[in-house]
Amino acid sequence: MKQRVVITGMGAITALGQDLDTLWNHLMSGASGVSSIESFDVSEFPTRIAAEIKDWNPELYMDKKEARRMDRFVQFAVAASNLALK
């Protein structure tokens, strides 16, 4: 039995963009989200590059108190979910 699926919203928080338009434009232009790691000291590690989400401000998607209670990766998931619902 075939079932139909309807996508009613999408959201993404990525190294290429924190909204779908920016993400799509960077994907179409062949941009790379990989760059030097800036969020912590990498001098002890052999790898110094990653697809890091820069300029992250969780308060654009949730209140400050709520953001403080979440790990960063959870903030990304909540923000992407909120974008998809919009």
Side-chain angles (χ1 to χ4, degrees):
M1 170 195 225
K2 284 188 176 181
Q3 292 185 346
R4 291 182 179 218
V5 176
V6 177
I7 298 172
T8 59
M10 297 190 318
I13 303 293
T14 73
L16 287 178
Q18 296 181 24
D19 61 78
L20 288 176
D21 290 334
T22 305
L23 171 60
W24 185 253
N25 289 333
H26 284 131
L27 285 172
M28 292 293 98
S29 69
S32 172
V34 176
S35 63
S36 298
I37 297 172
E38 298 174 1
S39 62
F40 60 92
D41 181 21
V42 295
S43 61
E44 305 264 335
F45 300 102
T47 301
R48 292 177 168 74
I49 60 171
E52 184 176 42
I53 297 174
K54 304 194 190 244
D55 302 322
W56 173 242
N57 181 4
E59 293 175 35
L60 296 174
Y61 307 97
M62 63 199 76
D63 66 57
K64 190 175 185 174
K65 186 176 180 181
E66 188 178 23
R68 279 196 317 254
R69 293 180 178 164
M70 294 180 194
D71 286 330
R72 195 167 191 238
F73 75 94
V74 176
Q75 293 174 356
F76 297 152
V78 170
S81 299
N82 287 338
L83 289 171
L85 290 171
K86 288 180 182 176

